[in-house]
Amino acid sequence: MEKDLSREVHKAEWKVKEQKLQDDIQTLREKLLLLGRERSSPDHRRYSMLDPSALDSEVSRLRQRLLCTEDALRNALEHNQQVDKLVQAMRRHPDKSQVK
């Protein structure tokens, strides 16, 4: 019973982590979209306080952060799948999972 509770807590923690990563990805995509729109705006040069090279640098930084966050999410999903497989195997063969 305690093992099942521990597994469920672990699974819930991973779900929270996955959701946070997905939220981060969405936020980064929105920022990139806004920066792209600002950069392509005809009034950008007239009203922007940012140097175009600084804007390009910010876009590059956000893209890199997006890639890293997507990788972290992919790794979290893979880890969660491995944990699920392990839990299923332990449920099918409970005698093998007990410590002697």
Side-chain angles (χ1 to χ4, degrees):
M1 179 92 158
E2 189 176 316
K3 286 183 182 180
D4 287 339
L5 180 61
S6 176
R7 287 183 199 123
E8 291 303 316
V9 168
H10 187 269
K11 191 173 181 178
E13 288 172 347
W14 275 103
K15 293 276 184 201
V16 168
K17 184 176 181 177
E18 288 172 23
Q19 185 60 49
K20 183 185 178 319
L21 289 170
Q22 288 175 346
D23 292 345
D24 288 348
I25 288 171
Q26 183 63 32
T27 300
L28 289 169
R29 285 184 175 154
E30 289 170 2
K31 284 181 181 180
L32 282 169
L33 183 63
L34 288 173
L35 284 171
R37 285 182 185 158
E38 181 180 331
R39 191 167 75 192
S40 64
S41 169
D43 294 332
H44 165 70
R45 299 244 191 286
R46 192 177 340 161
Y47 297 111
S48 178
M49 299 299 287
L50 291 175
D51 176 20
S53 63
L55 185 59
D56 289 341
S57 175
E58 181 68 8
V59 169
S60 295
R61 187 185 67 75
L62 286 172
R63 280 193 181 132
Q64 184 61 38
R65 186 171 160 207
L66 175 61
L67 290 174
C68 290
T69 304
E70 287 175 335
D71 285 344
L73 176 59
R74 208 172 0 268
N75 290 337
L77 290 171
E78 288 174 8
H79 181 268
N80 195 22
Q81 288 174 347
Q82 291 173 354
V83 170
D84 284 344
K85 286 179 185 178
L86 180 61
V87 168
Q88 289 173 3
M90 292 174 76
R91 285 184 179 152
R92 279 181 278 196
H93 307 288
D95 54 325
K96 291 183 180 180
S97 65
Q98 292 184 4
V99 178
K100 294 181 182 180

